[in-house]
């Protein structure tokens, strides 16, 4: 194309530009999917029990000094299945557990 970007590079460039700015409170499904996919691909290997690399990205907002921040923050969780399947944890639960450490958590978006 005219800018010298392949279509996938255009998507990656747009994702990077948007993620560098404070994320709007409105949802941007394509960028959220790309972010989750980036985290999923960063996992070196899948769990031994299921062989599926699963991630969950949970977005939230904070209140600082009584004012709700406009930025959209996130935590990431991944599934893990140690030696016994009974010790497994799903990606969603792993992500939500991280929210316990977030001070001034206002809402999950």
């Amino acid at each position: 194309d005219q800018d010298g970007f392949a279509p996938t590079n255009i998507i990656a460039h747009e994702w990077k530009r948007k993620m560098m700015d404070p994320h709007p409170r409105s949802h941007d499904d394509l960028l959220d999917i790309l972010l989750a996919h980036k985290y999923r691909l960063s996992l070196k290997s899948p769990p031994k029990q299921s062989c599926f690399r699963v991630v969950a990205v949970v977005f939230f907002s904070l209140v600082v000094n009584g004012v709700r921040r406009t930025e959209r923050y996130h935590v990431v969780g991944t599934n893990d299945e140690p030696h016994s399947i009974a010790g497994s944890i799903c990606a969603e639960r792993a992500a939500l557990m991280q929210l316990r450490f977030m001070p001034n958590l206002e809402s999950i978006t």
Side-chain angles (χ1 to χ4, degrees), residues 42-93:
S42 73
L43 298 171
K44 301 288 185 224
S45 61
K48 301 208 183 309
Q49 303 289 332
S50 71
C51 296
F52 292 109
R53 287 179 234 172
V54 180
V55 297
V57 182
V58 177
F59 293 92
F60 61 95
S61 59
L62 297 176
V63 172
V64 178
N65 296 327
V67 178
R68 182 185 200 171
R69 300 291 305 240
T70 59
E71 294 91 358
R72 193 170 156 223
Y73 301 92
H74 70 274
V75 293
V76 180
T78 183
N79 63 322
D80 192 33
E81 298 155 358
H83 179 70
S84 168
I85 197 75
S88 299
I89 187 167
C90 66
E92 297 83 2
R93 181 177 281 177

